Amino acid sequence: MILAAGKGERLRPITETRPKPLIPILCKPLLAWQLEWIEGLGGLVDEVIVVVGDMKDKVIEFLSKTAASKKIRTVEQEQQLGTAHAVLKAVEGVEEEEDVLIVYGDVFLSKPGLLLEVAKREGNVILGAEVDDPSQYGVLLTKGEDLLGKILEKPKEHLSKVVNAGVYKLRVGDILSNRDIQLSPRGELEFTDIVNKIASVSDVRVVTAPRGSWIDIGLPWQVIEANKTALSVLRGQNIKGVVEQPVVIHGDVYVGEESQIKAFTYIEGPVYVGRRVRVGPSARLRPYSVICDGSVIGFSVEVKESVIFENVHANHLAYIGDSVVCEGVNLGAGTVTANLRFDEKTVKMRIKDKVVDSGRKKLGSVIGGYAKTGVNVSLMPGVKVGPFSWIYPGVVVTSDVPQKTILKPETKARVDVMKFENEH
């Protein structure tokens, strides 16, 4: 069971034009990775249930094109009432004696064999992951060596570095008999409350993922981190496109079919280039860059530790550093994503109504789908640009730009959304 119904509000503007499960990791949707992991379980899996909700049509369309589509059943979570509500909707009609493997839709594993380890264990099982900062997660408190005592959400005290990784194998009957839970402080039915009730009356084994093998994608910069995690397993050079000499390629690099690497380009791996991409001439791709299908990284454009979605055009003289650039974006000549503060402190970003410390000393911009920048636009560290927005030439963007906004240099006035839609 994959829980893929969430709105991904903390990931905006990325999730304003695509659902969270279709965020690309090495140019392949996260949901595709998860389905491949499940397919690797072979005969252990009878059926795959995908819970859909936000932008369900896009998710269902994607699922219809997968090789395992006949084995997949979708369940709609019409109201976003929490993870427990999603699971209870999905297990309707499933026999109580069945076991269900549950995977949160924002989980990425660099070692998918962990799913097999969870699935083959006897009884109820939860996957934990060791992290440096557990304060933003549900922490797993254990009793004995590997039995779950309780999941404690975002504790202020440092109790454990092992957190809930969002992967469970549970007996359906145990889920149903412990479904009587209350709304959480944020007004949702939390699946962790059901798991805590199960752990209070029966054994739930904890399997701990090796450090660095797990990441949840809940915040914009975690899209960069997930792609870095995926790139860490890239080995050697696999060049399927056309390379026009002279080009220098160092390290682990993948270049997809029908892509072109133009002369005098310099690539330092690990780097992943998708299909039908044009790079150069005289471009530079620095480590941990991912360039997805149909994009153009043109003359004297430098990309460093960034994820470039599909059909992005940066034709000349741009710098993209530690950034996420969503599909269909056009960056004018001289566009720069600044990624380092003068004081070299960690970069903060506004997430919903709070300013959140990314923990990264270097973090550029998150540019929503189909946005456009004019020539010589500068975006300050941690700035977000909403989808379909236009940034006029010469503007220095120091704060977030909402979607469907025109930002002009002389007044910095933001054009009314309704007027924008009427005129454009």
Side-chain angles (χ1 to χ4, degrees):
M1 180 191 303
I2 301 175
L3 306 187
K7 292 183 178 179
E9 291 181 333
R10 295 186 304 158
L11 280 162
R12 290 180 176 175
I14 299 168
T15 50
E16 290 182 270
T17 53
R18 73 169 67 205
K20 181 163 61 173
L22 301 188
I23 288 174
I25 309 297
L26 301 192
C27 305
K28 182 167 67 178
L30 174 58
L31 182 55
W33 287 89
Q34 295 177 331
L35 291 171
E36 285 185 7
W37 305 337
I38 292 168
E39 188 177 351
L41 300 178
L44 290 174
V45 177
D46 299 313
E47 180 184 40
V48 179
I49 303 169
V50 180
V51 183
V52 298
D54 188 56
M55 301 190 195
K56 64 175 183 179
D57 293 343
K58 291 186 177 182
V59 177
I60 291 171
E61 181 185 3
F62 166 77
L63 291 172
S64 70
K65 297 176 182 178
T66 63
S69 60
K70 293 180 180 179
K71 200 175 185 179
I72 298 171
R73 174 166 63 92
T74 58
V75 173
E76 183 179 358
Q77 186 185 21
E78 295 179 359
Q79 293 179 287
Q80 303 292 309
L81 300 179
T83 49
H85 178 255
V87 171
L88 291 169
K89 287 274 292 183
V91 297
E92 289 178 1
V94 179
E95 295 292 332
E96 291 194 10
E97 294 306 315
E98 293 279 1
D99 287 330
V100 59
L101 181 70
I102 300 167
V103 181
Y104 286 0
D106 55 4
V107 167
F108 182 78
L109 301 171
S110 64
K111 296 183 181 296
L114 288 165
L115 280 190
L116 182 60
E117 187 175 349
V118 170
K120 292 182 73 173
R121 285 285 182 102
E122 290 293 327
N124 293 325
V125 185
I126 182 173
L127 181 68
E130 189 175 343
V131 298
D132 292 325
D133 180 14
S135 63
Q136 299 304 309
Y137 300 95
V139 171
L140 301 189
L141 303 182
T142 57
K143 51 188 180 183
E145 290 188 3
D146 65 347
L147 290 181
L148 177 67
K150 185 178 182 180
I151 304 172
L152 189 60
E153 289 296 332
K154 300 180 180 178
K156 293 181 181 179
E157 298 180 43
H158 188 91
L159 301 173
S160 169
K161 284 192 172 184
V162 179
V163 302
N164 179 13
V167 177
Y168 316 84
K169 191 206 75 173
L170 300 168
R171 179 177 166 272
V172 171
D174 290 336
I175 295 172
L176 295 176
S177 60
N178 291 280
R179 61 184 168 185
D180 185 18
I181 57 173
Q182 303 299 314
L183 292 175
S184 69
R186 61 178 184 172
E188 294 187 358
L189 295 170
E190 308 286 357
F191 187 61
T192 50
D193 289 339
I194 292 180
V195 177
N196 279 337
K197 289 189 70 176
I198 296 173
S200 70
V201 296
S202 61
D203 290 348
V204 178
R205 300 283 173 185
V206 177
V207 172
T208 303
R211 181 182 285 270
S213 64
W214 168 89
I215 186 170
D216 75 317
I217 306 173
L219 296 164
W221 55 86
Q222 289 171 338
V223 174
I224 301 173
E225 295 300 329
N227 276 273
K228 285 183 69 175
T229 299
L231 279 167
S232 68
V233 299
L234 197 65
R235 295 291 181 269
Q237 295 183 3
N238 187 356
I239 312 298
K240 298 182 178 180
V242 176
V243 178
E244 180 183 286
Q245 297 300 330
V247 165
V248 176
I249 301 177
H250 287 303
D252 304 316
V253 174
Y254 176 89
V255 178
E257 295 89 344
E258 302 179 61
S259 290
Q260 301 176 49
I261 311 298
K262 296 287 189 177
F264 302 104
T265 291
Y266 196 98
I267 301 177
E268 305 162 82
V271 164
Y272 188 97
V273 177
R275 295 168 52 98
R276 301 184 307 280
V277 174
R278 178 165 60 82
V279 179
S282 302
R284 183 184 183 191
L285 302 184
R286 293 169 61 183
Y288 299 108
S289 296
V290 175
I291 319 296
C292 290
D293 301 358
S295 291
V296 176
I297 304 298
F299 174 74
S300 290
V301 175
E302 180 176 352
V303 181
K304 180 255 178 185
E305 198 167 313
S306 296
V307 184
I308 312 298
F309 287 14
E310 308 87 359
N311 301 310
V312 171
H313 281 214
N315 281 296
H316 29 230
L317 303 167
Y319 174 71
I320 307 169
D322 300 89
S323 297
V324 178
V325 183
C326 295
E327 69 278 5
V329 167
N330 191 88
L331 301 180
T335 294
V336 171
T337 61
N339 60 348
L340 180 67
R341 292 167 49 125
F342 277 147
D343 59 12
E344 297 191 11
K345 291 183 178 179
T346 52
V347 178
K348 298 177 175 64
M349 185 175 287
R350 183 168 291 279
I351 305 296
K352 298 178 71 172
D353 57 347
K354 295 181 180 179
V355 175
V356 177
D357 191 337
S358 70
R360 292 177 58 107
K361 285 190 68 174
K362 289 190 175 183
L363 179 61
S365 302
V366 179
I367 305 176
Y370 311 101
K372 296 181 180 182
T373 66
V375 298
N376 298 324
V377 166
S378 299
L379 299 108
M380 294 298 100
V383 160
K384 297 190 294 184
V385 176
F388 303 102
S389 290
W390 296 354
I391 313 297
Y392 267 42
V395 171
V396 178
V397 184
T398 58
S399 59
D400 291 353
V401 179
Q403 67 170 317
K404 299 178 181 177
T405 295
I406 295 176
L407 195 59
K408 296 184 177 181
E410 59 273 11
T411 63
K412 305 288 173 69
R414 288 168 177 170
V415 176
D416 180 79
V417 170
M418 185 63 71
K419 182 179 179 183
F420 181 95
E421 290 177 335
N422 289 340
E423 292 184 357
H424 304 285

